[in-house]
Amino acid sequence: MRKENPTRYSSAVGEAWMHFSFKVRYCHNIFDIFGVRNAAKALLIQACKKYGVILAKVGFDSNHVHGRIDINNFSRPQAAKMLRGYIARKLFILFPQIKKEYFWGSGLWNPAYYMNSVGKDIDFIDNYIMKQKYAIKEVTQIKLTAFC
């Protein structure tokens, strides 16, 4: 958290930390596949960097991802659409076989998602995220070529 230096906009100052959960359509366990999971992590980091969203924590389970982000000046639906769309589009380019095998030509994500303000429970949320099956201890930039 950056309380000593909040994000500044033309007409606003502040932070909007959110806990999110995006579930894979049809509950397929695609994140049990090492390459897919790590590519999705790298794509999430890239998407956050591209859109100016700060990613603090991320943890994958077999068929969903949890994380804590600062969505800045975006609305919750805008942030979810940007991040999920970027990850799905690029992941299907990297792994076209998963679209054919698991999703029969449809989208990666379940249309429903969870995104709610963290509030004062940041440590509780961070602990919950770190208890996921594939929790990422440190969020750092990774080159996608490492997983192709």
Side-chain angles (χ1 to χ4, degrees):
M1 296 224 340
R2 301 168 306 161
K3 290 209 183 251
E4 68 280 349
N5 189 18
T7 307
R8 299 181 187 284
Y9 308 99
S10 62
S11 61
V13 176
E15 300 171 321
W17 288 101
M18 299 287 162
H19 170 220
F20 72 86
S21 178
F22 303 149
K23 189 162 181 96
V24 172
R25 188 181 294 256
Y26 310 124
C27 298
H28 290 298
N29 295 331
I30 63 165
F31 296 134
D32 284 339
I33 304 167
F34 178 79
V36 173
R37 179 178 65 252
N38 283 321
K41 174 194 166 200
L43 289 167
L44 176 60
I45 293 168
Q46 276 184 2
C48 288
K49 190 173 185 177
K50 176 180 178 177
Y51 297 115
V53 172
I54 295 155
L55 177 65
K57 296 280 183 189
V58 64
F60 287 84
D61 210 320
S62 297
N63 60 14
H64 62 279
V65 58
H66 284 273
R68 182 168 59 88
I69 56 174
D70 179 358
I71 62 171
N72 293 328
N73 220 16
F74 297 111
S75 68
R76 293 174 196 182
Q78 281 177 316
K81 184 177 180 178
M82 289 184 316
L83 297 177
R84 292 174 358 140
Y86 186 91
I87 294 166
R89 190 170 45 257
K90 302 279 185 173
L91 197 65
F92 284 156
I93 290 169
L94 291 170
F95 300 96
Q97 73 278 9
I98 67 168
K99 184 168 187 166
K100 292 175 189 167
E101 183 178 341
Y102 295 106
F103 301 103
W104 309 293
S106 69
L108 173 67
W109 302 109
N110 185 314
Y113 63 89
Y114 172 82
M115 189 175 295
N116 201 1
S117 175
V118 172
K120 295 182 180 185
D121 295 332
I122 289 175
D123 292 332
F124 176 79
I125 296 297
D126 286 351
N127 287 335
Y128 178 74
I129 292 168
M130 297 313 290
K131 289 180 182 175
Q132 299 303 306
K133 189 174 185 178
Y134 305 107
I136 310 299
K137 305 263 186 269
E138 196 173 315
V139 179
T140 56
Q141 186 73 31
I142 298 174
K143 294 191 185 238
L144 283 175
T145 54
F147 307 109
C148 299

